[in-house]
Amino acid sequence: MNERDDERTVSEETGVNGLHDRMATNVLLETLPIDGDTATENGETASPQHKSNSEVDGAACSQSLGVRESRTNKVCLNVGILGHVDCGKTTLARVISSIASTAAFDKHAKAQNLRANTIDLGFSSLNVDGYTVALIDCPGHASLIGAVLSASSVFDMAVVVVDAQKGVQPQTAEHLLLVSILCPQHVIIVLNKIDLVNSEQLESIRKRMRKVLKYFGIPSQSPIVSVSLVGSRASESAKALIETLRCNLYEPKRISSGRFVMSVDHCFPIRGKGTVMTGTVVDGCCSVGMEVVIPSLKEKRKVKGMQRWKEDIKCACMGERVGVLFQDIPTKDIDRTVIFQPAALDTVQVALASITQISHFKCELSDRSKIHVSIGFETVMATCQFLVEDDKEEFEQLSNLDERVTAVLLTLDRPIYAREGSFYMAAKLDMQGKGCRFAFYGNVLRMLSSGNEVCRFRRKHRSGCVARIEGDRTSVICTSLFSKESDVDAFLSTVVKLSTGERGTIEGPFGKSGKIRVRVSQGLSDETVAAITAGEKVTVELWMKKYLNNGKLMSYLP
């Protein structure tokens, strides 16, 4: 078995459960502009040029290694490594990492003799020019997108790995869409396995990637580095990757509330010590001796000790990846979770949230559709009610998701811990292989105890006809606006409008067949009287808001 065969234990066509990633049916992939070479301004196809095996394209570095000022307090940068299954993500992380955590390179999966492809999040790090770069190796199987969504909540930068021989594959496209939302200005493309293509093919895939980046709203001049991560070229490739990272380092702007919150991705016991939770601090700071809430245990525990990349520390702050030691916590009760300083988070099951629709999502979502919602490291099913903000903090509830929607009411199947301002992503994760699964995203605006705290209504419209004029032209008898079973008394004094322009109010029923009398206080115009007398159709229109909180009706004129 050669080096490439060893790297590809599982075919990229097969997921963890044997699920097939059908490129032909992936609508998102089919819409990508990846066919043909890029034309020059005069319409001719640019001729391919041979480039070195580990050349960085578009990653101009304005500072040399000796110019960037060294830091005494290191900045932590969390970098997601993404891409389709078997493109070489874990190999990349292993090649450039200097420190591996207990969860690096998917050790837990291999210990159980599972597939060599990553099936869980892996963490490792390297130090670059005064920065601690935490690498988050994400699984590339379509069925494991939930783990990617969890990890993405802490991304500062993304490295998207592309198989140079196969190009953009289904999960490549899905991961590019995700980072275009989370960190579009901080994306690095790695073309891996360039030893399997010739110089013309390599130039072609570079050009195609520029088009794909532009398609997703990622700057088309984002750095692209070409590498081969196995064999004799691995060392040269590692240097090119690290140099590309160095040239694109930045200091994230982290706005902290001051209250400690940490997303936990792994939990394991250490004999004679206690239980370690590893994760990323997403808000505030934590120190040894601090009391924190562990929601899965429904209790508070004190922090016994902390490590940051195998270094003992007393305090950890927002953006840092740490291991936190507790005494005797049953690990079987803890999966991906969150721990926090008391009062930093609250439980929520109903939330009003902002909404930004993802244009690539083509599935129709109707009122009360079920969808997966990811907030932090939690993914839970939710019922959606799509809203349009009206006057006076009222919301119209629509029958489906369309371009008018400005907010969404999310009712989660179970309560989770969150806070106002939390970012969420909504997706149809059960749509695997059928196009884009990401539907919309936004932030939690209000955490509610009930959906009735949001004033919501549906618009109703009824139309009837004028049957005849009564008396002195200030009232008319109308038919077809109500049935004989209707409770007309509930609509007394409701405003209506005639198709000829006059406005009136409902005075009450006329007989028992559903007819009503409408008072037109200003009187009917001569033209209206003439039209009704001549037998022309004059309609009576009734518009109402039916409030979902209390069932009340209110008429209005559009």
Side-chain angles (χ1 to χ4, degrees):
M1 180 179 289
N2 61 33
E3 293 165 320
R4 282 290 174 204
D5 292 334
D6 181 60
E7 185 181 354
R8 301 174 196 174
T9 307
V10 181
S11 167
E12 72 280 355
E13 300 296 329
T14 308
V16 171
N17 299 314
L19 296 171
H20 188 68
D21 289 326
R22 296 177 177 85
M23 292 177 62
T25 61
N26 192 300
V27 179
L28 176 60
L29 187 67
E30 290 174 351
T31 61
L32 294 181
I34 58 175
D35 295 326
D37 293 325
T38 303
T40 59
E41 291 183 1
N42 60 11
E44 297 179 359
T45 302
S47 59
Q49 298 177 358
H50 180 73
K51 297 190 178 184
S52 64
N53 290 332
S54 299
E55 182 172 348
V56 179
D57 181 17
C61 186
S62 60
Q63 294 173 302
S64 67
L65 280 168
V67 173
R68 189 186 294 272
E69 183 181 349
S70 62
R71 298 174 180 270
T72 54
N73 295 321
K74 290 184 178 180
V75 176
C76 294
L77 203 66
N78 297 294
V79 180
I81 302 179
L82 303 161
H84 195 82
V85 61
D86 198 34
C87 64
K89 299 182 297 297
T90 302
T91 304
L92 182 151
R94 184 182 291 110
V95 164
I96 67 174
S97 296
S98 56
I99 301 176
S101 75
T102 53
F105 318 133
D106 211 13
K107 291 178 181 176
H108 302 300
K110 294 183 180 180
Q112 300 172 40
N113 296 317
L114 298 178
R115 303 178 188 274
N117 294 93
T118 300
I119 64 170
D120 198 1
L121 300 175
F123 296 86
S124 57
S125 77
L126 69 156
N127 293 316
V128 181
D129 204 15
Y131 285 72
T132 297
V133 179
L135 303 175
I136 308 170
D137 179 17
C138 299
H141 297 279
S143 58
L144 296 176
I145 191 64
V148 180
L149 285 171
S150 296
S152 69
S153 63
V154 300
F155 285 177
D156 298 313
M157 180 186 290
V159 173
V160 181
V161 185
V162 180
D163 186 322
Q165 191 176 40
K166 296 181 172 64
V168 177
Q169 296 173 273
Q171 287 309 106
T172 318
E174 196 161 60
H175 291 175
L176 282 169
L177 174 58
L178 183 61
V179 300
S180 74
I181 295 168
L182 298 173
C183 52
Q185 301 300 318
H186 305 286
V187 178
I188 296 172
I189 302 298
V190 174
L191 298 180
N192 188 24
K193 306 181 184 180
I194 61 171
D195 54 305
L196 301 180
V197 298
N198 59 37
S199 59
E200 291 185 359
Q201 292 171 323
L202 181 58
E203 181 66 16
S204 176
I205 188 62
R206 278 200 189 98
K207 292 176 180 178
R208 293 176 185 178
M209 285 310 305
R210 295 287 178 211
K211 291 182 179 181
V212 171
L213 291 172
K214 184 177 181 181
Y215 174 80
F216 282 114
I218 300 170
S220 60
Q221 291 307 307
S222 297
I224 298 178
V225 55
S226 305
V227 300
S228 178
L229 296 172
V230 297
S232 59
R233 300 175 179 177
S235 177
E236 178 189 357
S237 295
K239 291 178 182 178
L241 283 168
I242 293 172
E243 176 65 9
T244 305
L245 276 172
R246 189 191 72 78
C247 291
N248 291 276
L249 295 174
Y250 75 104
E251 188 167 346
K253 293 182 179 179
R254 307 193 191 279
I255 302 174
S256 174
S257 70
R259 291 182 174 178
F260 167 69
V261 179
M262 174 174 156
S263 293
V264 176
D265 47 67
H266 291 86
C267 181
F268 53 90
I270 296 180
R271 183 176 297 178
K273 294 287 187 180
T275 302
V276 174
M277 292 186 182
T278 61
T280 304
V281 180
V282 296
D283 197 3
C285 294
C286 179
S287 58
V288 175
M290 176 184 283
E291 188 175 63
V292 300
V293 177
I294 303 177
S296 55
L297 300 181
K298 298 181 180 179
E299 60 183 65
K300 301 173 185 176
R301 292 289 184 92
K302 284 189 176 181
V303 176
K304 287 183 60 180
M306 288 193 296
Q307 279 194 350
R308 178 178 55 221
W309 300 111
K310 302 183 179 180
E311 174 189 358
D312 290 333
I313 57 174
K314 295 293 184 182
C315 181
C317 292
M318 190 174 178
E320 294 184 299
R321 177 167 177 79
V322 295
V324 181
L325 178 66
F326 296 96
Q327 187 168 7
D328 300 329
I329 292 177
T331 57
K332 65 181 180 63
D333 296 330
I334 299 174
D335 193 7
R336 291 194 182 102
T337 185
V338 63
I339 59 176
F340 52 90
Q341 192 174 352
L345 298 179
D346 290 314
T347 56
V348 59
Q349 193 161 2
V350 182
L352 179 68
S354 64
I355 183 171
T356 299
Q357 298 178 49
I358 296 174
S359 60
H360 307 289
F361 183 78
K362 302 303 180 183
C363 179
E364 183 174 324
L365 292 177
S366 58
D367 181 44
R368 297 189 178 277
S369 287
K370 287 281 193 177
I371 200 162
H372 293 88
V373 172
S374 296
I375 300 179
F377 269 29
E378 293 270 15
T379 297
V380 61
M381 291 298 295
T383 301
C384 306
Q385 293 168 278
F386 302 110
L387 311 175
V388 179
E389 189 169 8
D390 201 56
D391 295 334
K392 301 177 182 178
E393 296 188 357
E394 294 182 351
F395 293 86
E396 178 185 359
Q397 186 163 315
L398 303 184
S399 58
N400 52 52
L401 177 64
D402 62 30
E403 67 280 355
R404 295 173 294 165
V405 172
T406 59
V408 60
L409 186 66
L410 299 171
T411 303
L412 310 181
D413 281 5
R414 60 177 173 83
I416 64 171
Y417 282 89
R419 60 185 170 190
E420 292 183 357
S422 295
F423 176 84
Y424 77 91
M425 174 69 75
K428 293 285 286 184
L429 300 184
D430 52 351
M431 279 179 49
Q432 185 173 323
K434 299 178 181 178
C436 176
R437 294 184 284 179
F438 301 142
F440 54 88
Y441 62 92
N443 297 90
V444 174
L445 300 175
R446 290 164 55 190
M447 294 168 55
L448 312 168
S449 58
S450 166
N452 287 335
E453 293 180 37
V454 178
C455 186
R456 293 168 292 132
F457 65 86
R458 289 189 184 276
R459 296 188 190 275
K460 303 288 184 180
H461 175 248
R462 294 188 180 190
S463 182
C465 296
V466 175
R468 68 172 189 268
I469 302 171
E470 263 200 332
D472 56 356
R473 307 198 328 183
T474 59
S475 67
V476 292
I477 304 301
C478 302
T479 63
S480 304
L481 201 60
F482 299 100
S483 66
K484 63 180 181 179
E485 293 84 10
S486 298
D487 180 12
V488 177
D489 290 341
F491 297 88
L492 295 181
S493 301
T494 298
V495 179
V496 296
K497 186 177 182 180
L498 276 62
S499 57
T500 50
E502 292 89 345
R503 297 183 181 185
T505 56
I506 297 175
E507 279 197 332
F510 182 82
K512 297 182 179 180
S513 60
K515 295 180 181 178
I516 61 167
R517 178 181 285 110
V518 172
R519 170 68 61 181
V520 183
S521 58
Q522 299 298 319
L524 300 173
S525 68
D526 293 339
E527 291 80 4
T528 301
V529 172
I532 296 172
T533 303
E536 296 179 17
K537 184 177 181 180
V538 176
T539 61
V540 180
E541 309 293 334
L542 170 62
W543 290 273
M544 297 172 291
K545 294 179 180 179
K546 182 176 182 179
Y547 287 88
L548 305 180
N549 311 60
N550 50 30
K552 289 184 178 180
L553 292 170
M554 187 182 78
S555 65
Y556 72 97
L557 293 177

